[in-house]
Amino acid sequence: MEPATLATRLASSAVAPLVKKLFAKDGPGAGLVDRPVRISGLVSFKGEKRTLTEADLHKLAGELVRRAAEAAGPHDAPSPEERRELTEALAVALHSLGDLDMDDVQAVRLGPEGLAQRLARPRGLSESTEAQLGPLLHTACLHILDFFSRRSTFIPRALTEQTQQIDHLVAATDLLIARVPSQRAEDARFEQQYVEHIARKHGELTIYGLDLNHAREWRLDSAYISLEATHGHGAGVPLAAERALSGHDRVLLRGAAGSGKTTLVQWLAVTTARQVYDAHLPHLIGRVPFVLPLRRVVREGLPPTPDRFLHAVRSAVAGAQPDGWADRVLRAGRALLLVDGIDEIPENERESVRRWARELMGDFPGNLWLITSRPSAVRDDWLTREGFAELTLSPMSRADVGAFVRRWHGAAEADPSLGETLLASIRTNADLGRLAVNPLMCGLLCALHRERNGFLPHGRKDLYDAALSMLLERRDVERDVIVDISADRSFRPSKETQIQLLQKLAHWMIRNDRAEMEQSDAVAQIERALVSMAHVSEPAERVFRWLLERSGLLREPAAGRVDFVHRTFQDYLGAKA
């Protein structure tokens, strides 16, 4: 049977009456409310106007499959077993209409293909059912969108939304005209290349622990969770962290390890690069983002000059930069300077960074500045005289934790029920609830919960010990990975040996007030440690390479340099030393 047969022979008269039952009757008025009614509020199996039960919905799906099978004819109709599986799959898809966070106008804009892709599909469907479900779901979505377009509220709503979009376009154009001066053709071409590069480079997050063997890239669009920030040290009314610069040109943002500071920097950089108008973020229109992680760009105690911004972060497009381009951007007041990690450079270098920022602000006024730091890295009034407002990232709310855990399990392609079990544990176990306060800790809990089949440690120390065990010991063993770094035999140091060596590196970084170290220094530290490790005969260079490639705790942020995947692990291992 050709899969599309079920859909192509199904007459509209057989589909439309069934689709109509999915939605509550249209109410009076044009529906021009401040907050548009979502599809989830229109379906007839949820909300106050509920007319269908979930059992009714399943029957409706079965009726649609039955009519499709009759239309297909006796030779092309699916078998009874296929019909049962197809009915169940269609019922799941239709039920997920109630979870869509969009209104009818947005759904029509997606089209039947786009809407069908947004609906849930059960896992483990047979190849035959999967092939039949696609065309049938497309046909159902086509009639759903036709139903939406005939609602009395649709045309007024569509016209209103179109007017709003035009208003946004006009507002964005006005901002660009006012903010972007006449540019040389060379500058304009490079700037387009540069912002596309920024959107690609910072458009993904690395989520450690999604996979036992490797880190995995997670699209920023789907991973980003809007956190809140408060003025000072937690007092005052909270605001969305991404709007921190909407009322201030200069902000010092404090946050604990793993609280989401760097993720926010990435989000601001990508949002600015894409230049999509948002009524809450008009200050980003016409801006050019410069992402400056201090641990990377400060060399010999000195931050880079504007002409070296791109070279300092080893940008792939640095060589194409026109002479004086960064200077012209700054002089026009169009730059968004995202200076990340005051705490990640030695304390004796932080004053030079403050002087550098002050000089740039004096020479190039009108630009936006966001500088991030751990809470205690600099004193409270460190940038007050420079006109910086101080904000502090708030712990994740219960809703934030729920959104993160569900998105994590989706990105990891894990069983969604596992995520719900973890959320139930976090809600009922006070110790876990105290741990699930930031993205890093939530990610660790998700990874450990999955790998330990639901068993979780309760204290912070036990959590880190379990994470180290997962990364250092279970990861390669469970994947049966053997790394041959010597000519004649395999080498797999024990967890205890790895921890001792990593502690040496972490302790050296803390003692020298560093967030990174030269690989030559790392090899030297390992060589000293191996003197008392008679059971390890490999050269220090090879042991270092093994730790870098296999431990899951070290990374190479730039050629010839090494750091820990997150400062939290560096701090924990350094404290153990």
Side-chain angles (χ1 to χ4, degrees):
M1 178 188 63
E2 189 66 28
T5 300
L6 281 177
T8 55
R9 296 185 185 178
L10 190 58
S12 296
S13 59
V15 184
L18 297 179
V19 164
K20 194 173 181 179
K21 292 181 180 181
L22 290 170
F23 302 96
K25 289 184 179 181
D26 211 359
L32 298 179
V33 293
D34 292 335
R35 299 184 65 183
V37 177
R38 302 297 183 185
I39 290 176
S40 58
L42 298 175
V43 293
S44 59
F45 47 87
K46 283 189 174 183
E48 295 179 2
K49 298 181 180 179
R50 177 170 174 161
T51 58
L52 286 181
T53 65
E54 292 190 19
D56 294 331
L57 182 63
H58 196 279
K59 290 178 182 177
L60 189 149
E63 179 63 17
L64 187 55
V65 170
R66 186 188 67 78
R67 294 187 185 186
E70 289 180 355
H75 300 293
D76 292 327
S79 67
E81 184 178 346
E82 288 175 330
R83 284 174 60 170
R84 282 193 295 271
E85 188 178 26
L86 187 58
T87 296
E88 180 62 32
L90 185 59
V92 169
L94 294 178
H95 188 270
S96 67
L97 282 167
D99 299 322
L100 291 180
D101 186 24
M102 68 177 72
D103 56 47
D104 51 357
V105 177
Q106 294 168 328
V108 171
R109 189 184 302 123
L110 281 176
E113 295 87 357
L115 181 60
Q117 289 175 1
R118 297 291 185 93
L119 300 182
R121 298 192 184 199
R123 295 185 180 182
L125 293 177
S126 66
E127 185 176 344
S128 173
T129 300
E130 186 71 49
Q132 295 173 61
L133 177 62
L136 186 57
L137 197 55
H138 179 278
T139 299
C141 287
L142 182 64
H143 285 274
I144 287 170
L145 298 184
D146 179 67
F147 172 80
F148 286 161
S149 69
R150 296 173 186 271
R151 297 180 69 240
S152 64
T153 61
F154 182 81
I155 293 178
R157 280 283 327 291
L159 290 174
T160 301
E161 186 164 315
Q162 186 179 52
T163 302
Q164 291 171 343
Q165 289 175 346
I166 293 173
D167 287 342
H168 290 167
L169 181 60
V170 170
T173 303
D174 287 344
L175 283 169
L176 285 170
I177 291 172
R179 196 167 283 160
V180 181
S182 177
Q183 289 181 294
R184 302 187 314 177
E186 186 183 15
D187 279 7
R189 283 194 297 269
F190 173 74
E191 198 166 299
Q192 182 61 36
Q193 179 186 3
Y194 172 69
V195 295
E196 290 173 357
H197 163 74
I198 287 292
R200 287 192 302 271
K201 181 177 180 179
H202 297 288
E204 290 183 333
L205 295 176
T206 301
I207 303 298
Y208 298 93
L210 281 180
D211 187 283
L212 277 173
N213 196 25
H214 297 290
R216 187 176 300 178
E217 302 306 318
W218 200 5
R219 290 297 303 167
L220 186 63
D221 293 338
S222 59
Y224 181 73
I225 292 174
S226 178
L227 300 178
E228 291 185 336
T230 55
H231 287 276
H233 294 280
V237 179
L239 72 156
E242 61 270 19
R243 300 184 194 175
L245 289 166
S246 61
H248 308 282
D249 289 346
R250 302 167 186 175
V251 169
L252 173 63
L253 181 72
R254 299 178 190 262
S259 60
K261 299 185 298 294
T262 299
T263 301
L264 175 62
V265 164
Q266 287 186 238
W267 188 90
L268 287 170
V270 171
T271 302
T272 303
R274 289 175 176 169
Q275 289 294 287
V276 177
Y277 181 80
D278 185 322
H280 298 293
L281 305 169
H283 52 285
L284 299 183
I285 292 294
R287 303 282 182 181
V288 178
F290 294 97
V291 181
L292 301 171
L294 287 174
R295 69 179 183 276
R296 299 277 305 280
V297 303
V298 174
R299 289 290 176 265
E300 298 178 355
L302 298 175
T305 54
D307 61 308
R308 301 297 298 172
F309 280 176
L310 304 193
H311 295 279
V313 295
R314 295 173 173 81
S315 170
V317 300
Q321 177 181 344
D323 289 341
W325 169 75
D327 181 272
R328 288 187 288 275
V329 169
L330 285 162
R331 201 163 295 284
R334 299 177 52 226
L336 169 63
L337 293 133
L338 301 164
V339 183
D340 191 24
I342 282 287
D343 56 284
E344 295 186 350
I345 58 174
E347 189 171 356
N348 60 5
E349 294 180 356
R350 294 171 193 170
E351 184 58 29
S352 68
V353 169
R354 191 175 72 87
R355 289 195 301 269
W356 164 80
R358 187 173 62 238
E359 289 172 5
L360 282 179
M361 286 183 283
D363 293 336
F364 304 105
N367 296 290
L368 299 184
W369 286 78
L370 179 76
I371 299 179
T372 72
S373 173
R374 287 196 187 185
S376 59
V378 292
R379 64 180 186 273
D380 288 351
D381 61 348
W382 193 64
L383 286 171
T384 301
R385 285 192 299 172
E386 284 71 30
F388 275 73
E390 289 208 9
L391 297 176
T392 300
L393 278 176
S394 303
M396 294 171 72
S397 67
R398 177 174 290 189
D400 294 334
V401 173
F404 182 96
V405 169
R406 293 185 180 99
R407 292 181 189 183
W408 189 98
H409 284 79
E413 298 178 358
D415 185 351
S417 64
L418 199 61
E420 297 304 320
T421 302
L422 173 59
L423 286 174
S425 298
I426 291 173
R427 284 192 293 267
T428 57
N429 186 305
D431 290 332
L432 290 180
R434 282 190 289 269
L435 290 174
V437 294
N438 63 50
L440 175 69
M441 300 303 290
C442 283
L444 280 180
L445 287 172
C446 289
L448 289 168
H449 185 259
R450 184 181 67 168
E451 299 309 325
R452 290 176 155 223
N453 298 315
F455 173 76
L456 279 175
H458 297 306
R460 186 176 295 267
K461 179 182 181 300
D462 292 339
L463 178 66
Y464 281 122
D465 285 340
L468 289 175
S469 176
M470 180 182 73
L471 291 168
L472 299 178
E473 187 175 52
R474 297 181 59 201
R475 197 174 79 144
D476 283 349
V477 171
E478 294 189 16
R479 287 295 178 93
D480 196 26
V481 174
I482 296 179
V483 180
D484 189 4
I485 68 167
S486 62
D488 56 348
R489 63 189 180 89
S490 63
F491 170 68
R492 179 185 282 150
S494 67
K495 180 183 74 172
E496 290 72 22
T497 298
Q498 292 180 68
I499 288 177
Q500 288 181 49
L501 294 172
L502 290 166
Q503 284 179 188
K504 292 289 185 183
L505 301 183
H507 184 254
W508 186 94
M509 288 184 180
I510 292 173
R511 192 177 68 244
N512 291 276
D513 204 8
R514 300 282 180 181
E516 291 183 1
M517 64 192 303
E518 298 291 340
Q519 291 190 5
S520 58
D521 289 328
V523 172
Q525 290 302 310
I526 290 174
E527 193 167 25
R528 293 190 184 96
L530 291 180
V531 171
S532 59
M533 294 182 176
H535 59 287
V536 180
S537 59
E538 280 71 17
E541 175 66 40
R542 288 186 174 180
V543 174
F544 164 74
R545 184 58 52 183
W546 196 96
L547 290 172
L548 180 63
E549 294 177 356
R550 302 305 318 156
S551 74
L553 284 169
L554 297 180
R555 64 179 178 180
E556 191 175 23
R561 301 185 70 79
V562 63
D563 68 357
F564 283 85
V565 295
H566 200 280
R567 280 286 301 279
T568 301
F569 286 114
Q570 175 188 321
D571 293 346
Y572 181 68
L573 288 165
K576 285 174 70 73

